[in-house]
Amino acid sequence: MSCNCNPNHAIACTVKQCMHHCDTENYCSLNQIHVGTHETNPTVDQCTDCMSFEKK
């Protein structure tokens, strides 16, 4: 399922497997995203996650 894309140029994204990714541009179509972590004490960027991700 693809989004009816209106790219939010404030949210760059290259995760093409997400339903909110704009297929023609590397931007998210959401107005805002939720960034979270899967670690108790995150210390590097790999510890963070886009919690707004939804698989296409």
Side-chain angles (χ1 to χ4, degrees):
M1 171 188 255
S2 255
C3 69
N4 185 1
C5 201
N6 184 19
N8 180 341
H9 291 103
I11 306 174
C13 180
T14 59
V15 182
K16 296 181 186 300
Q17 296 83 357
C18 182
M19 71 181 302
H20 304 295
H21 180 269
C22 290
D23 293 327
T24 59
E25 299 182 56
N26 282 329
Y27 292 101
C28 182
S29 64
L30 295 174
N31 291 327
Q32 68 179 19
I33 61 169
H34 177 168
V35 177
T37 184
H38 55 272
E39 300 287 334
T40 305
N41 183 26
T43 57
V44 293
D45 60 346
Q46 291 89 345
C47 297
T48 61
D49 304 295
C50 178
M51 305 307 277
S52 301
F53 172 83
E54 293 184 53
K55 185 169 174 34
K56 280 187 181 178

